[in-house]
Amino acid sequence: MPYTGIVKYHVKLSFEVDGLVERADIIGAIFGQTEGLLGPEMNLNELQRVSKVGRIEVNTFSTENTTKGDALLPMSTDIDTCSLISAAIESIDKVGPFDSSFRLDDIEDVRANKKQDILQRAKEIKQKWSTNSVSEGQEMLEEVHENNSEKITTYGPKKLHCSTGIHDSKWVILVEGRADIINLLRAGYDNALAFEGGRIDESIKELCEQKEKVVAFTDGDRAGGFILKELKSVVHVDVELRADTGIEVEELTPKRVDEILAPVKKQMEEELSAPEIKNVDDGPLAELCKNKFSELNESLEAIALDSNDTEVFRVAIPELVGKITGQSGIKYLILDGIITQRLVDAAKTAGVESIIGHRTAKLSNSDGVSLKTFRELGIASN
């Protein structure tokens, strides 16, 4: 009967007989001297009948007075049955009229070897495939990664990593590290800044003051909670977001990143698209600013005007606060930038009546100074 079982184990034995015998003698001894030892259901004949034992292979090597060799039994039983059959064969002490000894050398798990062969073959297939063809998807991923790397720059004296779009965006997303920024870029968000570590650099505060909304997006582990607390001690956070429990921001899928951030993004878009109510009393100021807007827009400069609408000075935005300190006679400040609390405080001291810019940052106190945006005056659409 052909063997149809699935081989699980190879039982390997060696033997020595004090006489000259043939291969058939060894097989006869294995079947005959184990019969009845372990019960009828464990007889090798019965196990072969039900395809639990395959064809026994025997090799013999004869010398002048002895016969040595090895035997292999393919088996599809459990390991307990293999052990019992092996012990029964080791009990054989006669082959024909000659004394003999049998010894178990190994019970080899064929499936383990097969798994190893499959693994090795899989490696060979992968190597051949990758050598002959480059995955189009991999090329796309690498291209995206390169593009994302180009969209990362640094901010402040500590060279904190940030997205290149952070300066133009009206809101900022504070994350823990550079890898988080890259993951947000994959999801389409280019307004992230990494505070990089538990100690929050003071330069972040200055940037956040210029934004209309500050979002903290931290990891979903215990450390993320501590870092969020430290962050809030330095800057005002409008929205607190966390990655899923036990997950880091860099590990989130782009889809999940968007699910978490999308409500904030939508709110910002709605606020920016809401119509402004123009004050009819702003007509003269609007006319004055309209004439200056074309000169200033995208120049990153500011103009100071006196009560006669005469230009007092023109200066780059980073130098503006220092320039107005100690000045007097300035009525209007028109700037191609954001109106910050630091600028408002300096303007109060200098006696400035009105400041006009693109946007107004979150302010704790602006009493005494009129603040307007180009959008409110109907000069610019955003």
Side-chain angles (χ1 to χ4, degrees):
M1 177 182 291
Y3 178 64
T4 58
I6 299 173
V7 177
K8 296 181 181 178
Y9 302 100
H10 278 164
V11 176
K12 297 180 178 181
L13 304 111
S14 57
F15 57 85
E16 184 173 347
V17 182
D18 292 335
L20 299 177
V21 296
E22 301 293 333
R23 174 179 174 274
D25 298 322
I26 300 297
I27 295 176
I30 291 175
F31 276 91
Q33 294 193 44
T34 59
E35 186 176 2
L37 285 177
L38 305 174
E41 72 279 1
M42 298 285 278
N43 286 341
L44 288 174
N45 283 320
E46 177 62 19
L47 291 173
Q48 278 193 333
R49 189 185 68 80
V50 295
S51 297
K52 291 296 185 179
V53 174
R55 182 173 179 270
I56 300 176
E57 299 178 12
V58 174
N59 298 304
T60 61
F61 310 93
S62 299
T63 61
E64 186 175 350
N65 296 311
T66 62
T67 303
K68 296 181 180 180
D70 56 68
L72 183 145
L73 282 74
M75 303 188 69
S76 59
T77 63
D78 54 55
I79 188 62
D80 294 337
T81 302
C82 283
S83 301
L84 284 170
I85 296 296
S86 300
I89 295 175
E90 279 191 324
S91 72
I92 297 173
D93 56 6
K94 291 284 185 179
V95 175
F98 306 109
D99 292 335
S100 65
S101 63
F102 283 74
R103 183 182 72 251
L104 175 66
D105 295 326
D106 188 21
I107 297 180
E108 182 184 79
D109 189 333
V110 177
R111 296 167 300 176
N113 292 339
K114 191 172 184 179
K115 289 176 184 176
Q116 187 61 38
D117 291 341
I118 292 171
L119 178 59
Q120 183 60 37
R121 179 55 182 154
K123 290 179 180 179
E124 293 172 358
I125 291 171
K126 177 185 175 183
Q127 180 63 33
K128 182 178 179 180
W129 176 84
S130 61
T131 300
N132 296 334
S133 174
V134 178
S135 165
E136 180 182 355
Q138 183 63 29
E139 286 183 337
M140 294 170 67
L141 284 174
E142 290 176 357
E143 183 177 347
V144 169
H145 178 73
E146 290 174 2
N147 288 342
N148 285 342
S149 298
E150 292 173 0
K151 293 180 181 179
I152 295 180
T153 184
T154 59
Y155 169 80
K158 297 293 186 181
K159 303 295 183 182
L160 302 174
H161 289 104
C162 66
S163 313
T164 53
I166 194 172
H167 299 290
D168 298 328
S169 177
K170 297 175 177 62
W171 60 299
V172 61
I173 306 169
L174 301 179
V175 294
E176 297 183 35
R178 185 176 185 274
D180 299 337
I181 295 176
I182 292 176
N183 206 24
L184 264 64
L185 284 169
R186 293 189 185 113
Y189 295 86
D190 67 347
N191 57 333
L193 170 67
F195 46 83
E196 299 180 8
R199 188 174 182 83
I200 311 302
D201 189 73
E202 285 288 333
S203 63
I204 297 178
K205 183 176 181 181
E206 181 179 350
L207 176 70
C208 291
E209 287 178 347
Q210 302 174 21
K211 302 301 179 181
E212 296 181 14
K213 193 175 295 293
V214 176
V215 177
F217 192 7
T218 55
D219 294 342
D221 54 17
R222 190 164 179 262
F226 289 125
I227 290 174
L228 177 60
K229 184 177 181 181
E230 176 69 19
L231 180 64
K232 290 168 63 178
S233 70
V234 178
V235 300
H236 173 76
V237 175
D238 297 297
V239 181
E240 301 174 15
L241 298 176
R242 301 287 300 277
D244 298 315
T245 303
I247 303 296
E248 297 181 2
V249 172
E250 66 183 86
E251 298 172 333
L252 295 170
T253 64
K255 180 181 179 182
R256 183 58 181 143
V257 168
D258 189 55
E259 287 174 349
I260 295 173
L261 288 172
V264 183
K265 182 180 181 180
K266 181 179 179 182
Q267 181 185 8
M268 288 299 300
E269 291 173 347
E270 290 175 348
E271 290 177 359
L272 293 173
S273 62
E276 295 285 349
I277 300 175
K278 185 176 177 181
N279 190 333
V280 292
D281 296 332
D282 289 335
L285 179 59
E287 191 64 29
L288 173 65
C289 292
K290 183 177 181 180
N291 295 332
K292 298 295 181 182
F293 180 76
S294 58
E295 302 177 29
L296 284 175
N297 193 34
E298 298 185 359
S299 68
L300 297 179
E301 293 182 333
I303 297 175
L305 304 176
D306 61 17
S307 56
N308 296 318
D309 301 341
T310 302
E311 186 173 311
V312 179
F313 63 77
R314 182 185 296 247
V315 69
I317 293 294
E319 303 171 14
L320 179 56
V321 172
K323 184 70 175 179
I324 65 176
T325 301
Q327 287 271 0
S328 60
I330 301 173
K331 184 174 183 179
Y332 302 112
L333 278 179
I334 307 173
L335 59 141
D336 180 39
I338 300 170
I339 304 171
T340 65
Q341 185 64 59
R342 185 164 170 256
L343 176 59
V344 171
D345 293 340
K348 286 181 184 179
T349 304
V352 176
E353 294 183 14
S354 184
I355 305 176
I356 303 93
H358 283 288
R359 298 196 304 275
T360 302
K362 298 186 299 294
L363 304 175
S364 58
N365 185 0
S366 62
D367 295 342
V369 182
S370 173
L371 307 179
K372 297 291 181 180
T373 66
F374 295 120
R375 184 163 169 255
E376 287 175 327
L377 296 175
I379 300 171
S381 57
N382 53 49

